[in-house]
Amino acid sequence: MSVILQDSIPDAQSGDPRLPGTQPCAPDDWLRVDETYAAQMAYRLQLLHDKPTAVLCEHPTAGREVLEEALHILPGLGFAVSGAQITCPDRRIVQIDWAAPLKTLGQVVQEDICIMEKQGAEHMLTGAVLCFPANWRLAEKINRPLIGIHAPVPEYDENIARRVQRLFDGVQVGRPMWRFNRLFYSDADLHQPYKKVDGDVTPYIRSERQCILRLPRTDAVVFTIHTFVLHA
């Protein structure tokens, strides 16, 4: 376990977090860097090394495309991209591995990245780098539809599922959307595939900034998650 706390959550994440609650997102604002960057990245690297099958499922085509999209906006966030390498804000140098694009991104950005592809009437989870899950496990959700992924969420009923599916169907290239959640947790650990519960003691706020964008070539939808944890 690693306790990594932000000082605060963005003001935009202080309102009503009810599903689906989406808002427009600037085309270059689906990745962010905050004050915990170095600490969160050190934890991500540890998880990718120690638990690769639990936190990573590569997608060779859409994964490569989302990496390409990220490389366009990383310089504006304090990264340097030169040839086949990325210099990160914490001065680490990451080699770009086009054969493992999601692993590359998992070593560079704070966001978890999920790739969703339309199969039949629903979007399915077909690839992800998921270092900081909140009560769900990648191995159990891969190749499952949205409603199956959200099975542990009580408020995610059929009505919400339809609205979220319409959102995924309607998101347009170059016009991403974002939403957030905000929950109270007993444990500050960012990696919680099984939520840790200590009676009614919940001294931490966990809030996810979730962005939804469409890739122009593969038409896949990318769902990114930037996790904030702080004292309540």
Side-chain angles (χ1 to χ4, degrees), residues 44-58 103 125 127-131 133 136-142 191 193:
R44 294 176 72 82
L45 292 172
Q46 176 191 330
L47 291 164
L48 285 163
H49 179 270
D50 295 346
K51 302 181 178 184
T53 59
V55 302
L56 178 66
C57 180
E58 283 287 357
K103 182 178 180 181
L125 177 66
V129 54
L130 182 75
C131 294
W136 64 291
R137 292 151 296 286
L138 181 57
E140 295 178 4
K141 305 300 183 180
I142 199 72
H191 181 76

Side-chain angles (χ1 to χ4, degrees), residues 72-144:
H72 292 309
I73 64 176
L74 289 179
L77 295 172
F79 298 80
V81 180
S82 178
Q85 67 181 31
I86 303 167
T87 303
C88 301
D90 58 1
R91 299 186 179 180
R92 285 179 305 113
I93 295 177
V94 175
Q95 298 298 319
I96 298 171
D97 184 352
W98 291 108
L102 293 179
K103 182 178 180 181
T104 299
L105 280 171
Q107 299 173 81
V108 172
V109 300
Q110 290 175 260
E111 283 77 10
D112 284 323
I113 296 174
C114 300
I115 294 174
M116 312 290 298
E117 293 182 288
K118 189 75 175 287
Q119 297 181 9
E122 298 182 273
H123 276 80
M124 315 282 283
L125 177 66
T126 55
V129 54
L130 182 75
C131 294
F132 299 156
N135 197 29
W136 64 291
R137 292 151 296 286
L138 181 57
E140 295 178 4
K141 305 300 183 180
I142 199 72
N143 295 320
R144 296 188 66 186

Side-chain angles (χ1 to χ4, degrees), residues 18-205:
R18 286 179 296 181
L19 288 165
T22 54
Q23 304 176 58
C25 173
D28 61 352
D29 195 27
W30 52 276
L31 297 175
R32 288 189 174 182
V33 172
D34 67 37
E35 73 275 15
T36 66
Y37 178 83
Q40 282 200 1
M41 295 312 302
Y43 195 15
R44 294 176 72 82
L45 292 172
Q46 176 191 330
L47 291 164
L48 285 163
H49 179 270
D50 295 346
K51 302 181 178 184
T53 59
V55 302
L56 178 66
C57 180
E58 283 287 357
H59 192 300
T61 52
R64 183 185 178 100
E65 189 175 8
V66 72
L67 175 56
E68 291 172 355
E69 295 289 318
L71 291 175
H72 292 309
I73 64 176
L74 289 179
L77 295 172
F79 298 80
V81 180
S82 178
Q85 67 181 31
I86 303 167
T87 303
C88 301
D90 58 1
R91 299 186 179 180
R92 285 179 305 113
I93 295 177
V94 175
Q95 298 298 319
I96 298 171
D97 184 352
W98 291 108
L102 293 179
K103 182 178 180 181
T104 299
L105 280 171
Q107 299 173 81
V108 172
V109 300
Q110 290 175 260
E111 283 77 10
D112 284 323
I113 296 174
C114 300
I115 294 174
M116 312 290 298
E117 293 182 288
K118 189 75 175 287
Q119 297 181 9
E122 298 182 273
H123 276 80
M124 315 282 283
L125 177 66
T126 55
V129 54
L130 182 75
C131 294
F132 299 156
N135 197 29
W136 64 291
R137 292 151 296 286
L138 181 57
E140 295 178 4
K141 305 300 183 180
I142 199 72
N143 295 320
R144 296 188 66 186
L146 282 168
I147 196 162
I149 294 169
H150 288 88
V153 182
E155 65 267 30
Y156 199 91
D157 57 18
E158 289 187 8
N159 177 53
I160 292 293
R162 285 193 296 269
R163 293 168 64 189
V164 173
Q165 183 58 56
R166 285 198 298 269
L167 170 65
F168 275 58
D169 287 339
V171 65
Q172 300 175 27
V173 173
R175 300 180 65 181
M177 306 293 290
W178 80 279
R179 68 168 304 276
F180 69 95
N181 63 20
R182 190 174 59 250
L183 298 168
F184 290 92
Y185 269 63
S186 298
D187 194 292
D189 194 353
L190 285 157
H191 181 76
Q192 289 199 53
Y194 298 93
K195 188 175 180 180
K196 302 172 185 179
V197 178
D198 182 15
D200 295 327
V201 180
T202 53
Y204 300 103
I205 295 173

